Every structure is written in C-alpha cells, then in structure tokens.
Amino acid sequence: MIEAVIFDCDGVLVDSEPTAFALLGEDLARHGLALDHATLEAHFLGGTIPGAAVTARRLGADLPADWVEDFYERLYARLAEGTPLIPHVEEVVAALDQAGIPYAVGSNGSDRKMQVTLGQHPALMARLDGRLFSGQSMDAPKPAPDLYLHAARALGVEPDRCAVIEDSPTGARAARAAGMTCFGYVPEGSSEALEAEGARPFSDMRELPALLGL
C-alpha cells in the first residue's frame, strides 16, 4: 500500500533535461570533450553539475576552475526561457490530492534550479510549497538514500510505504537503498538501466495513478 509519493524533478515533473544536455554538450565540446547525446546521458543523467565537472575532467575535458558556477548561471538563464511540464504530470498530482496521498520532490538539482523550472508553473508550485528537497543542499545527492529518507520523514510516512518516481538509474538506486518502491519513467528508449536498479518502468504519466493503486 503506497501512502506517499516522492517525485524526482528533472525529467519527471519538468522537461528540463533536453535543455541541460544541449548546454552541457556544447560546453564539453568547447573544452575538448565531444560526446553524443547517448554518451552524455550514460555519464551524466541523474547526477549533479559538480559531479559532472569531476567526470568530465576525468574523461579529458579541460574545464576552467570556475566552470561549475558559470555553467549554473547560464543553465538557469536558458531554463528560464521556458521549461514545460512533463505531459500529464498535473493529472497525477490531482489524483494524489483526490486520494489524500501526500507527495514531495527529491531532486539532485539545486533549490534555485527547482525555483526556476517549477516556478514557471504556479499552480503546481503552490501544491509543492514546503515539499521541495535538494540533495545538493543536504550535501547528500543520489545515489545516496538520504534525500529520499529525508522526504519520507517530512511527509511522516515510513520508507517502505513510499513510492519514488524516477527517470535515472542513479535515482532508482537511491530509492532502492532507501527501501522504497520505484517507478521508472521511460517515455522513449530502453528501460533496461532503470530495471537493473529495481525500478518498474512505465512510458506515460497517465499510467501512473493505476500503478500507484489509485
């Protein structure tokens, strides 16, 4: 029985990842590391920008010392130009409200990033007031389970009664470590990497209420 739901943000609530990966690919290529989209996702999906800097340098990118801070500012500016919601996610939230099931957001993105992207959608943002949690702010990003465990405590629900909605293997690994049921959103492409981390895949947000038993 699911008593609470914890959403990842990027790629689950907001369609921010195409913008982020486009900018990341441009930056890394400019600094000597040209990677196609599939390789970018394999290395960086579900991670943090500081973590991306470490990985990119290890792979050969010659990033300047202030790259993380500079990238964040340019990313926020580009996301502010327009970041749509994932199709039908508002219907999922409405179904949770109707069923009286609490929910929160647990993101590896920064608090500011969530304000930039979710802030473009005032109705959803109002529903999430006080329930946005950042792994970066906690200094415990996924795949550590701390973020999801913190969200569960905030909702007053035991971890084994929580469902996590994720789109990355990193996040699914965190959910599994937290002892939570994970549903993996895969609108296109292969679900193998998520399934390998214990997530139950689905491809359309309209499927999710039934999967949650609503």
Side-chain angles (χ1 to χ4, degrees), residues 61-85:
D62 185 20
L63 300 180
D66 65 347
W67 180 81
V68 170
E69 293 77 12
D70 179 64
F71 184 85
Y72 268 134
E73 291 304 318
R74 289 181 289 115
L75 176 61
Y76 296 150
R78 192 172 291 192
L79 290 170
E81 294 173 1
T83 305
L85 292 175

Side-chain angles (χ1 to χ4, degrees), residues 22-166:
L23 184 60
L24 180 61
E26 293 166 14
D27 257 42
L28 296 186
R30 188 166 66 250
H31 293 292
L33 182 63
L35 301 173
D36 62 28
H37 186 79
T39 306
L40 285 168
E41 284 200 349
H43 284 293
F44 304 111
L45 181 64
T48 66
I49 300 305
V54 172
T55 300
R57 289 185 175 112
R58 177 173 53 79
L59 294 172
D62 185 20
L63 300 180
D66 65 347
W67 180 81
V68 170
E69 293 77 12
D70 179 64
F71 184 85
Y72 268 134
E73 291 304 318
R74 289 181 289 115
L75 176 61
Y76 296 150
R78 192 172 291 192
L79 290 170
E81 294 173 1
T83 305
L85 292 175
I86 293 295
H88 308 294
V89 76
E90 287 180 298
E91 297 166 32
V92 175
V93 173
L96 292 171
D97 283 337
Q98 185 173 8
I101 294 178
Y103 47 87
V105 178
S107 176
N108 264 0
S110 66
D111 288 304
R112 183 176 168 191
K113 186 180 181 184
M114 286 189 279
Q115 293 296 324
V116 169
T117 57
L118 289 167
Q120 298 172 40
H121 309 281
L124 180 59
M125 191 64 160
R127 287 168 150 166
L128 295 169
D129 184 42
R131 291 180 282 176
L132 299 175
F133 304 106
S134 165
Q136 286 193 52
S137 295
M138 292 177 58
D139 196 27
K142 311 169 203 175
D146 308 52
L147 173 62
Y148 283 143
L149 293 172
H150 176 79
R153 285 193 296 271
L155 295 173
V157 178
E158 291 298 316
D160 63 356
R161 297 289 186 172
C162 293
V164 166
I165 317 303
E166 267 291 351

